[in-house]
Amino acid sequence: MIAPAKPHNEAERTQVLQDLGLIYSPSEPRFDRITRLAMRHFDVSACLVSLVYKEIQWFKSVQGLNACSTDRELSFCGHAILHNETMVVENALLDPRFMDNPLVLDAPRLRFYAGQPLKDPFGVVLGTLCIMDGAPRAFSQEDRQDLQDFARLVEIEIAKNHEESVVSRFIGGLSESQRVLLIDPVVGSWNRRGFEALVDKELEFAKGQGEPLALLKVTLQSYDAVLARFGQERMVDFSKFTAGLIRDTLPESASLGSWGPQAFVAVLPHVEKSALDRVAEQLKKNFQTYALHSHGAQTFVDVDVACVAFDKDALPASSAAALDALK
């Protein structure tokens, strides 16, 4: 295995990624939509928005893999960011850089890889949009162009990242070591501690602006049945599926938190009771429509949705008080 070299502008890259606040931050639907579409378009087993940072690659969006990050030394993307053009590995077993890589010899047993470098508006390469598969394959010039087009959509979203919001200010006020402790590493959402801290910030902002705020809780009624059918080793698929479906249904301004293995919670700024009820109903419909697929099997997930909307004149004093209203 050949470990990737560091780009000549590594210090600049590191600073840009720190300023963007994308590392150790929650998954977002705006990136997930692109990776899902790209994975379907190319018919591959995995697609990532991978940001290469210090000694890791952080997956800002991940489809098909059960991880939020991996070591940079093992990464294909660490090699891809050294070039401006698409890097294609049609068969990793024939490539001296990767033939004895643990990601090739062991799970997920990668064979095919294609990565398009992602740049900030000033041309600094941050990472890649990459697709991967367990079978070797050819990759045409048209395929390369399509991957470049998908990558451009990711770059447009990255360029929007400086837009001010409660979440961006919250993340910007945290150190990397603090952010690591506030993210659920399985599903890429806020963990309980992080979510409570964010709700306190959202409440503070709502009070200052005189705006309503809503909370929503999704309890997975079929958790035990899914566990019995699929087994513990596949429950990561279950958690990622449910988190992704909830994120896709919520408004863009909403934030999702993991609330133990059987529940998720969300905070919805600016949302009043009537709009909240519509979101809750849509969530129930989506869980009745879309099935969880895992290793060739599928099942529908039964959920219970509870929600509460706080009028601008009746906002709770703290996240603890707000979350108590969901019980």
Side-chain angles (χ1 to χ4, degrees):
M1 185 188 81
I2 300 175
K6 298 286 181 70
H8 66 88
N9 63 338
E10 181 67 9
E12 180 183 15
R13 290 183 59 260
T14 300
Q15 188 61 56
V16 171
L17 284 165
Q18 288 173 342
D19 293 343
L20 286 171
L22 291 172
I23 307 298
Y24 304 122
S25 65
S27 297
E28 299 177 58
R30 60 192 179 122
F31 295 111
D32 290 344
R33 282 191 287 267
I34 299 170
T35 52
R36 267 201 315 273
L37 285 171
M39 187 169 73
R40 292 172 187 163
H41 175 80
F42 292 107
D43 191 24
V44 291
S45 60
C47 182
L48 316 171
V49 172
S50 172
L51 303 175
V52 182
Y53 178 72
K54 294 186 177 179
E55 303 309 317
I56 68 164
Q57 55 173 353
W58 177 258
F59 304 149
K60 183 58 183 174
S61 177
V62 53
Q63 309 292 336
L65 293 181
N66 290 330
C68 286
S69 66
T70 61
D71 291 340
R72 180 175 183 170
E73 188 176 66
L74 301 179
S75 72
F76 285 54
C77 298
H79 292 272
I81 66 169
L82 301 175
H83 311 281
N84 286 320
E85 65 275 8
T86 307
M87 186 183 94
V88 177
V89 178
E90 295 188 344
N91 188 345
L93 286 176
L94 304 179
D95 191 313
R97 293 171 297 178
F98 308 113
M99 58 175 53
D100 56 350
N101 188 304
L103 300 176
V104 174
L105 299 180
D106 302 315
R109 299 188 182 280
L110 298 178
R111 296 296 180 267
F112 168 79
Y113 170 94
Q116 175 62 36
L118 296 171
K119 300 178 182 180
D120 79 345
F122 302 98
V124 177
V125 177
L126 307 175
T128 73
L129 174 68
C130 64
I131 55 175
M132 296 173 286
D133 201 72
R137 63 190 294 172
F139 204 62
S140 69
Q141 189 57 45
E142 288 184 354
D143 290 331
R144 291 171 186 254
Q145 184 60 58
D146 288 348
L147 187 61
Q148 291 167 15
D149 289 343
F150 278 117
R152 178 58 183 145
L153 296 177
V154 176
E155 290 174 340
I156 291 171
E157 294 302 326
I158 289 174
K160 295 177 183 177
N161 207 59
H162 288 295
E163 295 179 358
E164 280 288 299
S165 68
V166 172
V167 176
S168 66
R169 288 193 294 272
F170 176 56
I171 292 174
L174 298 169
S175 66
E176 285 179 23
S177 58
Q178 288 173 322
R179 293 205 299 270
V180 170
L181 298 176
L182 301 182
I183 299 294
D184 183 321
V186 174
V187 298
S189 67
W190 297 107
N191 61 23
R192 183 184 288 254
R193 180 181 171 188
F195 186 78
E196 289 174 342
L198 175 61
V199 171
D200 280 326
K201 296 294 184 182
E202 291 284 13
L203 281 169
E204 181 182 336
F205 183 80
K207 291 172 184 176
Q209 298 297 310
E211 296 181 349
L213 187 75
L215 292 175
L216 182 146
K217 183 177 183 180
V218 179
T219 303
L220 312 174
Q221 303 291 87
S222 57
Y223 182 87
D224 291 338
V226 173
L227 177 60
R229 178 177 179 185
F230 289 100
Q232 186 63 51
E233 69 277 6
R234 298 195 196 174
M235 294 311 291
V236 173
D237 293 342
F238 176 76
S239 296
K240 291 177 69 69
F241 168 80
T242 51
L245 190 53
I246 296 168
R247 269 195 296 262
D248 288 343
T249 309
L250 296 177
E252 289 287 333
S253 59
S255 296
L256 184 68
S258 298
W259 213 247
Q262 301 187 47
F264 292 91
V265 286
V267 57
L268 296 80
H270 331 299
V271 172
E272 297 180 337
K273 182 67 166 60
S274 58
L276 180 62
D277 289 341
R278 289 194 295 271
V279 171
E281 285 304 311
Q282 189 60 54
L283 263 174
K284 294 174 184 176
K285 289 179 182 177
N286 286 351
F287 275 102
Q288 293 169 356
T289 303
Y290 300 104
L292 163 66
H293 294 266
S294 179
H295 296 75
Q298 71 173 40
T299 187
F300 287 94
V301 179
D302 296 324
V303 299
D304 176 69
V305 181
C307 52
V308 58
F310 300 105
D311 184 76
K312 62 182 180 180
D313 299 318
L315 291 164
S318 66
S319 61
L323 289 161
D324 278 344
L326 279 174
K327 295 178 180 178

